[in-house]
Amino acid sequence: MSIPPRYRILLAMLLLLPCGQAFAICSPFQGHIRVGADPVHCQANDIQSAINMAGVCPVTIDITREHLYTNQHLTISDKYITFQGWGDGVTCADIPGEPAYAPPASDVPLVTIDGSGNGRVLTITGNSNVGLHNLMVTGGQTSDNARGGGISFDGQGSLYLINSTINLNHGGFGGGINVNGSSGLTKLYLMDHTQILVNTAAVSGGGIRIEGNTRMYAVRPFTLIGFNHAPNGYGGGLEVLGPARADIGSPGYNGLGVLYNNNAAYGGGIDILTFSIQTGATVRLFTTDPNNPVQISGNLASHSGGAVYLRPEDDYNGIGTSTLCANDFRINGNAASEGAAIYSDAGYSLYSSLGGFIFLNRNPGSYCANPEPPAALGAVACAPGVACNEFVGNKAEDQNGQPTAGATILLQSSSLFEADRFSARQNTGAHVLREVGDGTGYLASAHLTNCLLIDNTLTQELIALTDGDQGSLSVNSCTVTGNAIGAPYAFHAPGDFHLNNSIIDQPGRATVDPSITDGNAVAHVLTNDRSTLPDTAYIQLGAPSFVDAAHGNYHLLHSSLGVDDAPVDPSVPALDLDGRTRVVDLPVIANNFGPMDLGAYEIQPACAGNDTIFCNGFDG
């Protein structure tokens, strides 16, 4: 039997009570305080009076529409309260008590709580657990150095939003909501039919800002953080300030990505910041609806990081990382002057030696699998045939729509980028990926596996290592074709560069510059131009035969060069871009150097003798 949303809130609140507290004196769902105009059936005439009446037990405050709730500046401290909005025509007399209580069947706000532009709407402190059900919080207005225009939570506990909207609020930090787990773990839940819309932050976190010991969960359907602004600062939709962390898996709202059309100077969709602390900030993206992957789309940064901006910081007190973990995702249609999709910045302190950490379909336990694996929060793989794991249509352009020399993904000094099973298509700018190579070692590296880089329009190289030769770049089991490249070569990599098990099909363009002389750095490559590559038997000159390149199908025909061409490479993950077995030895194909196909896709056994729909990747 499903539990109504209102009961889910109260059950969760009860579970958060300290051991033994309240259960001896509180029965579940005991308290109701009805707010309205009828003194006989309503226990309170206004919402703050109802809050003040609440004791230590969980209570529901039922808010009728017998009043207009304007100029509201509510305060809660050390309480367990669910606010429940009721629709037109419902009076206090119509709201039953337990056990007959049934919350209204609505997926939109029924009651508006308006700050009328004269201050914050809701301030929560202490050890509090608060739920909003069927409410709109709007009209909050605080100063440009204050936290939380609509809602501020500073303390510990939880805040649940169901069928509720936070919109048209303004604050300095967290225009819509600011949550600071300052005295203990605080959890923010964006549940079904929750929208954070058209809020503005003067500094950071246009829609939502989380800081301190806070976790945010946005994993339910019909969740939207959209049209929010931080035009002079960071995080148009969401700011995550370490040690806070966010888990985002919602399929979004009616086809819109869960983070949609937000804007800021840095991090149009999300910014992930850490300042001088030992525990960093982390955002995990994952899909919970296999037919509707999690999506960050249509966001704009006037400076850097159209979808995501990362910036860590360290000092003599410790190291604070900024980490993005994304599995089964879409990052599409974003724009920024630099880093149209992702910008990983370097820390600016005297002691700084870190850039951001980005893991795409790679899950190192210390960063992406803790404190619980995403599967425990409902993460699933995308359904076969559903567009997934992609960067599509991101544009390097300024806020006036004028093209810039930015990259789709920009990695500043000492950033770590590990990306598996992804495609980048129809992006525009100078590069798809640029790595600043003045860092060193493991903290200045980019590793791409099982990737498809196609149909991008670029004024310079496809991938470039610039501003020094201390970084490392590896491309393994990738297919590169159909890109408009402005430079005379596809890759610019003066540092530590490795190209393996890949297909480079860019007629009129050399593969790499400057020339690579190390025969171990480039091996098992099919290319249209080997003039700048080592003269070894491990590099073939020729063109692949794709199933249907004209319609975007870049699987190899079984008769193509590159099939059963390379030896098994233990550094290549076990699945190809389709999520199918990476190494398949086709008995009808003679091996060249081994059983593994070159490029992003591995021909599966059923495809060895024909080119049916099952074999072309469109069936799933």
Side-chain angles (χ1 to χ4, degrees):
M1 182 178 68
S2 63
I3 301 175
R6 181 255 177 184
Y7 292 110
R8 293 203 300 266
I9 295 176
L10 285 178
L11 282 170
M13 290 180 179
L14 289 168
L15 291 173
L16 291 169
L17 284 167
C19 183
Q21 178 179 333
F23 286 104
I25 57 174
C26 299
S27 61
F29 323 130
Q30 166 188 316
H32 285 269
I33 301 173
R34 298 166 179 81
V35 178
D38 179 358
V40 175
H41 298 97
C42 302
Q43 287 75 41
N45 186 58
D46 61 86
I47 301 172
Q48 187 63 59
S49 295
I51 294 170
N52 296 341
M53 293 170 62
V56 298
C57 298
V59 65
T60 296
I61 295 179
D62 295 291
I63 307 172
T64 71
R65 297 180 65 167
E66 296 177 88
H67 294 304
L68 291 177
Y69 301 97
T70 58
N71 204 29
Q72 298 292 297
H73 311 293
L74 310 172
T75 60
I76 299 172
S77 183
D78 297 312
K79 307 240 183 218
Y80 295 77
I81 295 174
T82 297
F83 295 99
Q84 170 76 61
W86 293 82
D88 277 336
V90 178
T91 68
C92 293
D94 299 320
I95 302 173
E98 303 298 348
Y101 186 95
S106 175
D107 54 19
V108 297
L110 298 177
V111 171
T112 296
I113 304 177
D114 193 341
S116 302
N118 295 319
R120 182 184 302 119
V121 179
L122 179 58
T123 301
I124 307 168
T125 59
N127 183 2
S128 295
N129 294 275
V130 177
L132 305 184
H133 188 189
N134 294 347
L135 295 181
M136 177 179 292
V137 175
T138 189
Q141 177 82 30
T142 65
S143 70
D144 288 353
N145 60 2
R147 288 172 165 83
I151 301 174
S152 172
F153 193 141
D154 193 334
Q156 63 179 310
S158 62
L159 174 62
Y160 290 75
L161 282 70
I162 297 180
N163 304 339
S164 293
T165 297
I166 313 298
N167 74 334
L168 294 171
N169 301 282
H170 176 99
F173 302 86
I177 302 173
N178 193 90
V179 178
N180 181 15
S182 58
S183 59
L185 177 61
T186 304
K187 297 183 179 182
L188 170 63
Y189 294 88
L190 307 184
M191 305 293 282
D192 306 57
H193 296 280
T194 293
Q195 299 186 76
I196 314 297
L197 304 175
V198 202
N199 301 282
T200 301
V203 182
S204 62
I208 300 173
R209 181 176 183 265
I210 59 174
E211 58 180 321
N213 189 10
T214 299
R215 291 195 66 182
M216 187 188 94
Y217 302 88
V219 299
R220 297 294 302 164
F222 299 103
T223 301
L224 177 61
I225 304 172
F227 308 98
N228 301 286
H229 316 286
N232 303 309
Y234 297 82
L238 168 67
E239 176 170 72
V240 180
L241 181 63
R245 57 188 300 129
D247 288 294
I248 303 172
S250 172
Y253 204 103
N254 291 341
L256 301 180
V258 61
L259 282 134
Y260 177 77
N261 203 14
N262 303 282
N263 66 75
Y266 301 86
I270 305 174
D271 85 89
I272 310 169
L273 263 61
T274 302
F275 292 112
S276 303
I277 55 176
Q278 293 182 342
T279 303
T282 301
V283 171
R284 299 192 296 186
L285 301 176
F286 50 85
T287 283
T288 56
D289 178 346
N291 294 305
N292 295 283
V294 66
Q295 184 171 186
I296 304 177
S297 58
N299 301 283
L300 169 66
S302 59
H303 193 280
S304 306
V308 181
Y309 174 89
L310 302 94
R311 178 180 161 190
E313 200 70 77
D314 67 346
D315 65 11
Y316 60 89
N317 291 319
I319 295 175
T321 58
S322 291
T323 304
L324 172 67
C325 305
N327 293 272
D328 302 295
F329 62 90
R330 295 175 180 165
I331 299 179
N332 297 344
N334 303 282
S337 292
E338 182 61 274
I342 298 175
Y343 187 103
S344 176
D345 210 343
Y348 297 151
S349 79
L350 176 65
Y351 303 92
S352 180
S353 60
L354 285 178
F357 290 0
I358 301 164
F359 302 101
L360 308 181
N361 291 312
R362 302 296 296 264
N363 292 297
S366 58
Y367 296 105
C368 298
N370 292 326
E372 72 283 295
L377 302 177
V380 297
C382 294
V386 171
C388 192
N389 295 312
E390 62 179 23
F391 297 87
V392 177
N394 300 287
K395 298 180 179 181
E397 62 183 29
D398 63 23
Q399 58 189 332
N400 298 315
Q402 297 302 305
T404 69
T408 305
I409 300 170
L410 189 284
L411 308 175
Q412 279 286 3
S413 307
S414 299
S415 294
L416 174 62
F417 182 78
E418 294 187 1
D420 181 48
R421 295 180 51 238
F422 75 97
S423 66
R425 310 191 313 274
Q426 299 169 9
N427 302 287
T428 61
H431 315 275
V432 165
L433 172 69
R434 181 166 76 92
E435 179 186 359
V436 175
D438 57 3
T440 57
Y442 180 71
L443 297 179
S445 59
H447 306 279
L448 288 66
T449 55
N450 296 311
C451 67
L452 179 66
L453 309 178
I454 58 171
D455 299 334
N456 300 286
T457 301
L458 309 166
T459 59
Q460 300 181 44
E461 303 86 6
L462 179 77
I463 298 177
L465 180 64
T466 66
D467 302 291
D469 59 1
Q470 299 304 305
S472 64
L473 170 65
S474 67
V475 178
N476 199 328
S477 297
C478 290
T479 299
V480 176
T481 187
N483 300 285
I485 297 174
Y489 33 82
F491 300 98
H492 175 70
D496 180 15
F497 176 60
H498 290 262
L499 177 64
N500 302 96
N501 310 315
S502 294
I503 296 170
I504 313 299
D505 182 34
Q506 291 290 155
R509 296 293 182 269
T511 301
V512 63
D513 184 271
S515 297
I516 300 294
T517 58
D518 182 358
N520 295 317
V522 180
H524 307 294
V525 173
L526 173 63
T527 179
N528 56 273
D529 187 326
R530 57 180 298 168
S531 62
T532 59
L533 298 177
D535 186 14
T536 72
Y538 301 116
I539 300 172
Q540 296 183 68
L541 178 65
S545 299
F546 297 118
V547 170
D548 190 0
H551 294 92
N553 188 336
Y554 292 94
H555 295 74
L556 294 176
L557 292 170
H558 73 284
S559 57
S560 175
L561 295 174
V563 175
D564 279 11
D565 192 274
V568 176
D569 186 341
S571 69
V572 180
L575 302 178
D576 71 358
L577 182 54
D578 279 335
R580 294 171 172 169
T581 302
R582 176 69 264 188
V583 180
V584 176
D585 191 359
L586 301 176
V588 298
I589 305 294
N591 290 351
N592 189 7
F593 293 98
M596 189 169 74
D597 296 347
L598 303 185
Y601 302 104
E602 187 83 9
I603 296 180
Q604 302 300 304
C607 306
N610 56 69
D611 299 313
T612 64
I613 292 177
F614 179 80
C615 303
N616 69 15
F618 290 137
D619 69 312

